[in-house]
């Protein structure tokens, strides 16, 4: 395990998110309904940022092509459904891939994330 202290827990109030850099990765920290999550900030489809993605039914939805990923597991819930018609073509650019999620813990007022480098 490679635990890294990334942010003070009070800096991530409910409903907020923050991107932190750990090694070569940009990690999106989210506080959704008082639950903390750490996911890769890069959508596996076209490598676009997820920071502005909406949270719907426990998943983060990419703002660009509406691919959706479970916040807990990273599993694909929907793959490239936007724009209509064109989304089917864009889905062929890249096969469905899970979103990397990272273990996190809160210790002594700080958020720690375990990120294994690629």
């Amino acid at each position: 395990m490679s635990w890294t202290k990334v942010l003070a827990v009070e800096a991530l109030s409910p409903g907020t998110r923050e991107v932190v850099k750990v090694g070569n990765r940009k990690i999106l920290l989210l506080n959704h309904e008082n639950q903390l999550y750490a996911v890769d900030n890069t959508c596996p489809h076209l490598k676009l940022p997820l920071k502005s993605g909406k949270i719907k039914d426990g998943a983060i939805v990419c703002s660009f092509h509406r691919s959706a990923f479970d916040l807990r597991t990273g599993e694909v819930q929907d793959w490239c459904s936007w724009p209509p018609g064109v989304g089917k073509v864009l889905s062929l650019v890249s096969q469905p891939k899970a979103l990397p999620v990272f273990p996190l813990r809160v210790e002594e007022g700080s958020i720690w994330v375990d990120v294994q480098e690629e």
Side-chain angles (χ1 to χ4, degrees), residues 17 28 40-56 59-71 78-83 99:
R17 48 186 81 187
L28 176 60
D40 201 304
N41 188 47
T42 304
C43 178
H45 177 236
L46 291 177
K47 310 298 182 211
L48 297 168
L50 286 172
K51 184 178 181 185
S52 61
K54 292 183 181 182
I55 307 299
K56 182 178 177 186
I60 187 162
V61 181
C62 178
S63 305
F64 300 96
H65 297 110
R66 298 191 186 157
S67 294
F69 307 92
D70 186 286
L71 282 171
D78 192 14
W79 187 253
C80 195
S81 59
W82 184 259
L99 175 68

